[in-house]
Amino acid sequence: MTIRIYASFPRALAVGLAVVTVLTGCGRSLRQAPPARQVQAAVAAALPPCCKLQRLEQEPITINPESVKVNFKALVVVTEDLYQAERAVTGAPKVTLLKLVQAEGSKRALYGSVVAHRLIDQWTLGVPQLQLGPQPFGKPRDAFNAHAYVAGTAEAHAALAAAAQEQQSQKAALEKLERETLAQAERDESERKARAELQARSEQVRKERLEQARLAFEAQSRKEAAQRLQAEEQRQQAGAAARQKLLQATAVGTRYVGSKTGYNASVQRIGLVFTEQKNTLLRAEVINPDDPSEKRAFTGELRFNAEPDKAGAVAYAIVLEGQRAHKSNPNPNSIYDRAVTLRLQLAADGLEGVADAGLGEQFPVRLQGAAAPAK
């Protein structure tokens, strides 16, 4: 059998007057189901805030002696317009267009269930589970952000226009930035290439200068080497010429006539003839042209690369040591009686040098070439 209950609800629950229909099986005791008003209050509290319960139909199903599952159908009235997001339009900011899915005052049937537990005569209800169904339920206008507008309204058109204009401005600014960035990149690349070319030219100039310096150094080295070689050849030639002159000047049979200046500017005539030349070893004889019985034998050597004994001294190339005279009363001023060393060098017309008597005593000697005596 079917029992219909009509009841009024407290104003605090904002449910108004409602007609509650309770469906129960025939012979089922009301003690096996929670009070209809208690179920109504629980369902009303679980509804979205934009809905008002108008009528509730209940169908209790016993789970066990202390538990009941109450299936219900709630007829609700929407208290304000409800929307859902239809599409988002890219812009600055992004605009969301809303679509009306439930107008204020429209009615909607909601289905659900709630489980109730009984303790003696007291019922405790769980949280009602609502099934909104496939039709979108929507949200109030203020549930969306400040850039959400109802599609088709003047406000939406203005927002879309502003967003499009801002987007166009941003696009233009982005394109300008891209052009400036590209131009700057081109300038940077141009500057980089210019620096690279300048560096390459500088490096080329440096290499050319280094090459020129190397060539100049090599040319100067070759020139200096040639000069050294020429100087060495000239030195060797000069040495060979000087050597040849010395050899010719001291050849066997070569004669010289001259004088030796002695003590008190006394002058003693002397004649010199070379009697032997073996490599650099020499033998010679000094004879008094005025008295051939006065003579003295000398031995010595040629010094082709003679060096001076001290700075400023003369380097003598012919050095002859006098042999003993074995005279009982030698004349200290005579080259024929006294042991002396002849130190000679080539002169323009013969030989010149000193007769070195030792202990710092040196007497000038000058000799001129003389013809060999007729045989």
Side-chain angles (χ1 to χ4, degrees):
M1 92 184 193
T2 301
I3 301 175
R4 296 186 180 271
I5 300 176
Y6 300 92
S8 63
F9 303 98
R11 295 178 62 89
L13 294 177
V15 294
L17 295 177
V19 178
V20 180
T21 302
V22 180
L23 301 178
T24 60
C26 294
R28 179 177 296 176
S29 172
L30 293 178
R31 193 169 177 271
Q32 293 180 344
R37 289 186 178 183
Q38 188 175 357
V39 176
Q40 178 182 348
V43 172
L47 290 177
C50 55
C51 296
K52 179 176 66 175
L53 181 63
Q54 188 178 48
R55 188 177 63 193
L56 183 69
E57 296 180 7
Q58 303 182 35
E59 183 183 31
I61 299 175
T62 301
I63 299 175
N64 55 50
E66 282 75 30
S67 299
V68 174
K69 176 182 179 183
V70 180
N71 295 327
F72 59 83
K73 173 183 177 182
L75 182 63
V76 299
V77 177
V78 178
T79 58
E80 59 180 302
D81 291 341
L82 300 180
Y83 303 90
Q84 71 172 8
E86 184 178 30
R87 62 189 178 96
V89 179
T90 303
K94 181 173 68 174
V95 174
T96 302
L97 295 179
L98 304 179
K99 176 183 178 181
L100 179 66
V101 292
Q102 294 288 335
E104 179 181 359
S106 62
K107 297 181 180 181
R108 179 82 176 268
L110 302 179
Y111 294 85
S113 64
V114 61
V115 176
H117 301 279
R118 182 176 59 83
L119 179 62
I120 305 177
D121 60 352
Q122 182 177 357
W123 288 90
T124 302
L125 275 65
V127 178
Q129 303 298 316
L130 294 174
Q131 298 178 6
L132 299 180
Q135 182 181 358
F137 196 76
K139 298 178 182 179
R141 175 68 178 77
D142 58 5
F144 299 90
N145 61 37
H147 303 293
Y149 304 93
V150 178
T153 63
E155 185 182 29
H157 290 312
L160 289 175
Q165 183 177 2
E166 182 62 24
Q167 186 178 16
Q168 187 65 27
S169 299
Q170 290 186 356
K171 181 180 179 182
L174 180 60
E175 291 175 349
K176 179 181 178 182
L177 178 60
E178 289 176 350
R179 289 194 300 271
E180 292 176 350
T181 302
L182 180 59
Q184 184 62 44
E186 291 176 349
R187 288 194 296 270
D188 293 344
E189 179 64 16
S190 178
E191 292 176 359
R192 185 194 67 78
K193 289 182 177 179
R195 288 195 301 269
E197 291 175 358
L198 178 61
Q199 183 177 2
R201 288 196 298 269
S202 299
E203 180 66 15
Q204 183 63 28
V205 171
R206 186 186 70 83
K207 289 182 178 179
E208 290 175 355
R209 289 178 178 175
L210 287 176
E211 181 64 15
Q212 292 174 357
R214 184 187 68 81
L215 294 176
F217 175 77
E218 291 180 353
Q220 182 64 25
S221 298
R222 289 193 297 269
K223 180 179 179 181
E224 292 176 355
Q227 290 174 346
R228 288 194 299 270
L229 180 60
Q230 183 180 6
E232 179 63 19
E233 290 176 351
Q234 292 175 351
R235 186 188 67 78
Q236 291 180 1
Q237 291 175 0
R243 181 187 182 98
Q244 187 63 29
K245 286 183 179 181
L246 285 173
L247 290 174
Q248 291 176 355
T250 58
V252 176
T254 304
R255 293 176 177 273
Y256 296 90
V257 176
S259 63
K260 174 187 80 70
T261 302
Y263 293 111
N264 301 321
S266 62
V267 177
Q268 183 181 27
R269 295 187 69 214
I270 61 175
L272 175 65
V273 59
F274 287 95
T275 59
E276 184 179 351
Q277 183 190 75
K278 186 176 182 180
N279 294 329
T280 60
L281 299 179
L282 300 173
R283 285 184 183 274
E285 191 174 41
V286 175
I287 302 172
N288 186 349
D290 300 327
D291 184 1
S293 64
E294 283 190 313
K295 55 185 176 181
R296 185 81 176 275
F298 283 79
T299 61
E301 64 178 347
L302 288 171
R303 298 178 179 178
F304 296 118
N305 298 311
E307 297 289 339
D309 296 335
K310 58 183 178 180
V314 179
Y316 295 103
I318 304 171
V319 179
L320 300 172
E321 299 286 344
Q323 303 299 307
R324 287 181 177 274
H326 302 292
K327 288 191 176 183
S328 56
N329 295 311
N331 182 359
N333 199 31
S334 174
I335 194 174
Y336 305 106
D337 295 349
R338 190 175 183 185
V340 296
T341 300
L342 291 175
R343 302 182 185 277
L344 304 172
Q345 63 178 350
L346 294 177
D349 56 353
L351 302 175
E352 64 180 14
V354 297
D356 189 351
L359 299 178
E361 292 184 330
Q362 293 184 343
F363 305 99
V365 174
R366 291 190 62 84
L367 299 171
Q368 295 179 342
K375 295 183 180 179

